[in-house]
Amino acid sequence: MTAEAEPLPLTATLPVVEGRLYVGFARVATMPNGRIGMSHLMRSKFDKMGEEELKELVVESLDNLMSGLNFKGFRDDELGTLVSVERDGPGAFGVILLNDFHEKAAAQVGADRLVVGLVSPDHVYFAAAGSGQAEQIREAVLGSPDTSSELVPCLLHLDAEGIEIIAERSR
């Protein structure tokens, strides 16, 4: 994902928030030296894929995004519920792409309108919009020191209608 005005021109991307947030496709593996290696799917190959091949790509990608996700809830009587999302391995930020994310997240915090903080590719938090926890998430996003990827830490508003970026850390 990238919170850039335009996606990388040669790579295959789809908009999450048109003109602001994109998801790209890549094969990812841990290298022998412990670092993460990526091989991006190029737009030229993506544009030539048939319907079945695209369907397979999306199904495999969603399966990979769901693999190893862990949700941890923290309840504070004054601030409300905060949920952190972690993954066994890198890339918890993809959780927002799951078809049922809004429904499951809303049930966990007891509200339809959510604030989701993409603090880094590996640190995602969500809470009810308007709660004290939402303000904590905003502060974490705006103060994030993370520069590990194309993802600019951002704060999302999420409800049944869709996703919008409501704040992002300055570059």
PDB file of all heavy atoms in Angstrom, residues 124-144:
ATOM      1  N   VAL A 124      -1.216  -1.639  12.983  1.00  0.00           N
ATOM      2  CA  VAL A 124      -2.546  -1.145  12.643  1.00  0.00           C
ATOM      3  C   VAL A 124      -3.379  -1.129  13.921  1.00  0.00           C
ATOM      4  O   VAL A 124      -3.355  -2.093  14.697  1.00  0.00           O
ATOM      5  CB  VAL A 124      -3.235  -2.044  11.591  1.00  0.00           C
ATOM      6  CG1 VAL A 124      -4.640  -1.560  11.282  1.00  0.00           C
ATOM      7  CG2 VAL A 124      -2.400  -2.103  10.320  1.00  0.00           C
ATOM      8  N   TYR A 125      -4.100  -0.034  14.134  1.00  0.00           N
ATOM      9  CA  TYR A 125      -4.969   0.099  15.299  1.00  0.00           C
ATOM     10  C   TYR A 125      -6.319   0.617  14.829  1.00  0.00           C
ATOM     11  O   TYR A 125      -6.386   1.398  13.880  1.00  0.00           O
ATOM     12  CB  TYR A 125      -4.379   1.094  16.303  1.00  0.00           C
ATOM     13  CG  TYR A 125      -2.998   0.711  16.765  1.00  0.00           C
ATOM     14  CD1 TYR A 125      -1.863   1.229  16.142  1.00  0.00           C
ATOM     15  CD2 TYR A 125      -2.822  -0.186  17.814  1.00  0.00           C
ATOM     16  CE1 TYR A 125      -0.598   0.865  16.554  1.00  0.00           C
ATOM     17  CE2 TYR A 125      -1.559  -0.555  18.225  1.00  0.00           C
ATOM     18  CZ  TYR A 125      -0.448  -0.023  17.600  1.00  0.00           C
ATOM     19  OH  TYR A 125       0.812  -0.395  17.999  1.00  0.00           O
ATOM     20  N   PHE A 126      -7.384   0.213  15.514  1.00  0.00           N
ATOM     21  CA  PHE A 126      -8.684   0.789  15.201  1.00  0.00           C
ATOM     22  C   PHE A 126      -9.522   0.925  16.462  1.00  0.00           C
ATOM     23  O   PHE A 126      -9.297   0.256  17.468  1.00  0.00           O
ATOM     24  CB  PHE A 126      -9.415   0.018  14.103  1.00  0.00           C
ATOM     25  CG  PHE A 126      -9.772  -1.414  14.407  1.00  0.00           C
ATOM     26  CD1 PHE A 126     -10.967  -1.739  15.035  1.00  0.00           C
ATOM     27  CD2 PHE A 126      -8.922  -2.444  14.033  1.00  0.00           C
ATOM     28  CE1 PHE A 126     -11.305  -3.049  15.289  1.00  0.00           C
ATOM     29  CE2 PHE A 126      -9.252  -3.762  14.278  1.00  0.00           C
ATOM     30  CZ  PHE A 126     -10.451  -4.067  14.914  1.00  0.00           C
ATOM     31  N   ALA A 127     -10.472   1.868  16.376  1.00  0.00           N
ATOM     32  CA  ALA A 127     -11.366   2.184  17.490  1.00  0.00           C
ATOM     33  C   ALA A 127     -12.604   2.863  16.917  1.00  0.00           C
ATOM     34  O   ALA A 127     -12.643   3.231  15.739  1.00  0.00           O
ATOM     35  CB  ALA A 127     -10.668   3.117  18.481  1.00  0.00           C
ATOM     36  N   ALA A 128     -13.594   3.045  17.763  1.00  0.00           N
ATOM     37  CA  ALA A 128     -14.795   3.772  17.355  1.00  0.00           C
ATOM     38  C   ALA A 128     -14.430   5.224  17.063  1.00  0.00           C
ATOM     39  O   ALA A 128     -13.678   5.846  17.811  1.00  0.00           O
ATOM     40  CB  ALA A 128     -15.847   3.704  18.458  1.00  0.00           C
ATOM     41  N   ALA A 129     -14.949   5.752  15.953  1.00  0.00           N
ATOM     42  CA  ALA A 129     -14.743   7.170  15.631  1.00  0.00           C
ATOM     43  C   ALA A 129     -15.347   7.994  16.760  1.00  0.00           C
ATOM     44  O   ALA A 129     -16.403   7.667  17.286  1.00  0.00           O
ATOM     45  CB  ALA A 129     -15.396   7.516  14.300  1.00  0.00           C
ATOM     46  N   GLY A 130     -14.659   9.057  17.146  1.00  0.00           N
ATOM     47  CA  GLY A 130     -15.154   9.934  18.196  1.00  0.00           C
ATOM     48  C   GLY A 130     -14.783   9.494  19.603  1.00  0.00           C
ATOM     49  O   GLY A 130     -15.017  10.217  20.562  1.00  0.00           O
ATOM     50  N   SER A 131     -14.193   8.313  19.750  1.00  0.00           N
ATOM     51  CA  SER A 131     -13.795   7.833  21.074  1.00  0.00           C
ATOM     52  C   SER A 131     -12.449   8.433  21.473  1.00  0.00           C
ATOM     53  O   SER A 131     -11.720   8.973  20.646  1.00  0.00           O
ATOM     54  CB  SER A 131     -13.697   6.301  21.077  1.00  0.00           C
ATOM     55  OG  SER A 131     -12.570   5.872  20.325  1.00  0.00           O
ATOM     56  N   GLY A 132     -12.132   8.306  22.756  1.00  0.00           N
ATOM     57  CA  GLY A 132     -10.817   8.743  23.224  1.00  0.00           C
ATOM     58  C   GLY A 132      -9.702   7.940  22.585  1.00  0.00           C
ATOM     59  O   GLY A 132      -8.612   8.467  22.337  1.00  0.00           O
ATOM     60  N   GLN A 133      -9.975   6.676  22.292  1.00  0.00           N
ATOM     61  CA  GLN A 133      -8.961   5.845  21.637  1.00  0.00           C
ATOM     62  C   GLN A 133      -8.680   6.345  20.222  1.00  0.00           C
ATOM     63  O   GLN A 133      -7.547   6.260  19.742  1.00  0.00           O
ATOM     64  CB  GLN A 133      -9.397   4.373  21.596  1.00  0.00           C
ATOM     65  CG  GLN A 133      -9.539   3.730  22.957  1.00  0.00           C
ATOM     66  CD  GLN A 133      -8.213   3.490  23.671  1.00  0.00           C
ATOM     67  OE1 GLN A 133      -7.157   4.001  23.290  1.00  0.00           O
ATOM     68  NE2 GLN A 133      -8.264   2.716  24.729  1.00  0.00           N
ATOM     69  N   ALA A 134      -9.694   6.870  19.552  1.00  0.00           N
ATOM     70  CA  ALA A 134      -9.495   7.410  18.204  1.00  0.00           C
ATOM     71  C   ALA A 134      -8.471   8.538  18.231  1.00  0.00           C
ATOM     72  O   ALA A 134      -7.627   8.649  17.333  1.00  0.00           O
ATOM     73  CB  ALA A 134     -10.826   7.887  17.617  1.00  0.00           C
ATOM     74  N   GLU A 135      -8.530   9.356  19.263  1.00  0.00           N
ATOM     75  CA  GLU A 135      -7.559  10.450  19.396  1.00  0.00           C
ATOM     76  C   GLU A 135      -6.155   9.900  19.657  1.00  0.00           C
ATOM     77  O   GLU A 135      -5.172  10.426  19.137  1.00  0.00           O
ATOM     78  CB  GLU A 135      -7.978  11.420  20.497  1.00  0.00           C
ATOM     79  CG  GLU A 135      -7.137  12.669  20.560  1.00  0.00           C
ATOM     80  CD  GLU A 135      -7.012  13.419  19.221  1.00  0.00           C
ATOM     81  OE1 GLU A 135      -7.991  13.496  18.459  1.00  0.00           O
ATOM     82  OE2 GLU A 135      -5.895  13.932  18.939  1.00  0.00           O
ATOM     83  N   GLN A 136      -6.070   8.836  20.435  1.00  0.00           N
ATOM     84  CA  GLN A 136      -4.769   8.201  20.685  1.00  0.00           C
ATOM     85  C   GLN A 136      -4.179   7.669  19.369  1.00  0.00           C
ATOM     86  O   GLN A 136      -2.987   7.779  19.124  1.00  0.00           O
ATOM     87  CB  GLN A 136      -4.924   7.039  21.684  1.00  0.00           C
ATOM     88  CG  GLN A 136      -5.476   7.431  23.025  1.00  0.00           C
ATOM     89  CD  GLN A 136      -4.453   8.137  23.899  1.00  0.00           C
ATOM     90  OE1 GLN A 136      -3.285   8.266  23.556  1.00  0.00           O
ATOM     91  NE2 GLN A 136      -4.906   8.615  25.031  1.00  0.00           N
ATOM     92  N   ILE A 137      -5.032   7.083  18.557  1.00  0.00           N
ATOM     93  CA  ILE A 137      -4.581   6.555  17.263  1.00  0.00           C
ATOM     94  C   ILE A 137      -4.101   7.693  16.368  1.00  0.00           C
ATOM     95  O   ILE A 137      -3.062   7.591  15.710  1.00  0.00           O
ATOM     96  CB  ILE A 137      -5.696   5.741  16.575  1.00  0.00           C
ATOM     97  CG1 ILE A 137      -6.032   4.498  17.402  1.00  0.00           C
ATOM     98  CG2 ILE A 137      -5.293   5.356  15.153  1.00  0.00           C
ATOM     99  CD1 ILE A 137      -7.269   3.747  16.943  1.00  0.00           C
ATOM    100  N   ARG A 138      -4.847   8.800  16.340  1.00  0.00           N
ATOM    101  CA  ARG A 138      -4.437   9.974  15.546  1.00  0.00           C
ATOM    102  C   ARG A 138      -3.026  10.416  15.948  1.00  0.00           C
ATOM    103  O   ARG A 138      -2.167  10.658  15.093  1.00  0.00           O
ATOM    104  CB  ARG A 138      -5.424  11.119  15.733  1.00  0.00           C
ATOM    105  CG  ARG A 138      -4.986  12.418  15.050  1.00  0.00           C
ATOM    106  CD  ARG A 138      -5.922  13.578  15.386  1.00  0.00           C
ATOM    107  NE  ARG A 138      -7.118  13.546  14.597  1.00  0.00           N
ATOM    108  CZ  ARG A 138      -7.211  13.956  13.333  1.00  0.00           C
ATOM    109  NH1 ARG A 138      -6.153  14.407  12.694  1.00  0.00           N
ATOM    110  NH2 ARG A 138      -8.352  13.908  12.694  1.00  0.00           N
ATOM    111  N   GLU A 139      -2.784  10.514  17.234  1.00  0.00           N
ATOM    112  CA  GLU A 139      -1.467  10.937  17.723  1.00  0.00           C
ATOM    113  C   GLU A 139      -0.376   9.952  17.311  1.00  0.00           C
ATOM    114  O   GLU A 139       0.723  10.360  16.936  1.00  0.00           O
ATOM    115  CB  GLU A 139      -1.506  11.112  19.240  1.00  0.00           C
ATOM    116  CG  GLU A 139      -2.332  12.310  19.673  1.00  0.00           C
ATOM    117  CD  GLU A 139      -2.498  12.390  21.190  1.00  0.00           C
ATOM    118  OE1 GLU A 139      -1.743  11.715  21.933  1.00  0.00           O
ATOM    119  OE2 GLU A 139      -3.385  13.147  21.627  1.00  0.00           O
ATOM    120  N   ALA A 140      -0.687   8.657  17.361  1.00  0.00           N
ATOM    121  CA  ALA A 140       0.297   7.647  16.961  1.00  0.00           C
ATOM    122  C   ALA A 140       0.633   7.760  15.480  1.00  0.00           C
ATOM    123  O   ALA A 140       1.797   7.629  15.084  1.00  0.00           O
ATOM    124  CB  ALA A 140      -0.233   6.243  17.284  1.00  0.00           C
ATOM    125  N   VAL A 141      -0.381   8.015  14.649  1.00  0.00           N
ATOM    126  CA  VAL A 141      -0.156   8.167  13.205  1.00  0.00           C
ATOM    127  C   VAL A 141       0.670   9.412  12.919  1.00  0.00           C
ATOM    128  O   VAL A 141       1.679   9.354  12.203  1.00  0.00           O
ATOM    129  CB  VAL A 141      -1.499   8.218  12.444  1.00  0.00           C
ATOM    130  CG1 VAL A 141      -1.306   8.736  11.020  1.00  0.00           C
ATOM    131  CG2 VAL A 141      -2.169   6.856  12.429  1.00  0.00           C
ATOM    132  N   LEU A 142       0.258  10.539  13.464  1.00  0.00           N
ATOM    133  CA  LEU A 142       0.937  11.803  13.164  1.00  0.00           C
ATOM    134  C   LEU A 142       2.348  11.852  13.729  1.00  0.00           C
ATOM    135  O   LEU A 142       3.206  12.552  13.197  1.00  0.00           O
ATOM    136  CB  LEU A 142       0.100  12.978  13.651  1.00  0.00           C
ATOM    137  CG  LEU A 142      -1.266  13.117  12.973  1.00  0.00           C
ATOM    138  CD1 LEU A 142      -2.035  14.314  13.550  1.00  0.00           C
ATOM    139  CD2 LEU A 142      -1.140  13.230  11.472  1.00  0.00           C
ATOM    140  N   GLY A 143       2.602  11.086  14.797  1.00  0.00           N
ATOM    141  CA  GLY A 143       3.930  11.059  15.399  1.00  0.00           C
ATOM    142  C   GLY A 143       4.774   9.865  14.993  1.00  0.00           C
ATOM    143  O   GLY A 143       5.879   9.679  15.498  1.00  0.00           O
ATOM    144  N   SER A 144       4.279   9.053  14.065  1.00  0.00           N
ATOM    145  CA  SER A 144       4.997   7.843  13.674  1.00  0.00           C
ATOM    146  C   SER A 144       6.351   8.171  13.060  1.00  0.00           C
ATOM    147  O   SER A 144       6.438   8.974  12.129  1.00  0.00           O
ATOM    148  CB  SER A 144       4.178   7.040  12.661  1.00  0.00           C
ATOM    149  OG  SER A 144       4.945   5.948  12.184  1.00  0.00           O
TER     150      SER A 144
END
